[in-house]
Amino acid sequence: MTEKKRFHLYLLSVAGPVPVLAETAGAGIGQLENSPKAWGQGWGAFRERAESNLAYNGLRQTITSGTSVVFHEDNRYYSSHKRGFWGRTGYAVLCTVTARHPDGRETFSVSSVAGVLGAGALSSIWGPRSWEGVEGIGRNAGISFGVTTGFNVVREFLPDLLHRPQK
């Protein structure tokens, strides 16, 4: 992957339509669940949730992108080419914490994990008290990994549902 392509993908992951819609939808879910409770309800609370989600995502993508350069990791999702629901689902789940290297190997992704944990730690600065400490950061990281896993499962199966060939 060229540096120009890497930078373009970084910009899309921070400010493209998918992350903006996803983080806004996440704010809507937070609003419905009143989570975090400290932010309350109303348009001001929704705005705070949306801004927080977008800032978290920006931090996560920045840390992940920068660290991926150092460790020569490609964190893009690649279709599995496996057969069967469980094999493909397992692959999608595992891809949440793995990355490809220039030689084709797939290994533990230092950059993906650093991005999630780093953004979780930094977002505890502006978030409510429930986001502070190891427990709060861990809870937010778990949510982030869970959402990423869900998106990976969708990426794996959506081409089949749309009857489009996979790349």
Side-chain angles (χ1 to χ4, degrees):
M1 177 170 25
T2 66
E3 292 308 311
K4 183 177 179 179
K5 175 76 172 176
R6 184 184 296 273
F7 185 68
H8 177 74
L9 291 172
Y10 163 72
L11 290 177
L12 278 176
S13 71
V14 171
V18 172
V20 169
L21 288 172
E23 299 306 339
T24 304
I29 292 168
Q31 189 78 359
L32 287 172
E33 295 177 346
N34 195 25
S35 176
K37 288 187 188 334
W39 287 347
Q41 290 291 299
W43 285 110
F46 175 78
R47 187 187 75 245
E48 190 162 13
R49 287 179 174 97
E51 289 171 350
S52 177
N53 287 358
L54 290 166
Y56 171 91
N57 181 62
L59 286 169
R60 177 185 176 179
Q61 299 304 332
T62 300
I63 294 167
T64 299
S65 182
T67 310
S68 71
V69 171
V70 174
F71 288 95
H72 307 286
E73 295 177 341
D74 180 354
N75 291 300
R76 291 177 292 176
Y77 186 81
Y78 292 92
S79 299
S80 70
H81 304 295
K82 292 182 180 269
R83 300 222 182 264
F85 176 80
W86 292 113
R88 292 175 70 188
T89 301
Y91 172 84
V93 170
L94 192 59
C95 283
T96 304
V97 293
T98 59
R100 281 195 181 174
H101 292 266
D103 63 6
R105 292 177 300 123
E106 287 191 30
T107 63
F108 176 76
S109 178
V110 173
S111 58
S112 288
V113 174
V116 169
L117 294 177
L122 290 169
S123 67
S124 70
I125 294 169
W126 72 74
R129 284 201 153 311
S130 63
W131 288 8
E132 293 176 359
V134 174
E135 184 180 328
I137 294 167
R139 182 176 45 256
N140 286 342
I143 291 167
S144 191
F145 283 126
V147 169
T148 301
T149 298
F151 274 112
N152 285 348
V153 170
V154 168
R155 287 181 186 111
E156 181 64 27
F157 290 101
L158 189 60
D160 294 345
L161 297 174
L162 298 176
H163 305 292
R164 292 185 181 161
Q166 295 178 350
K167 293 181 182 177

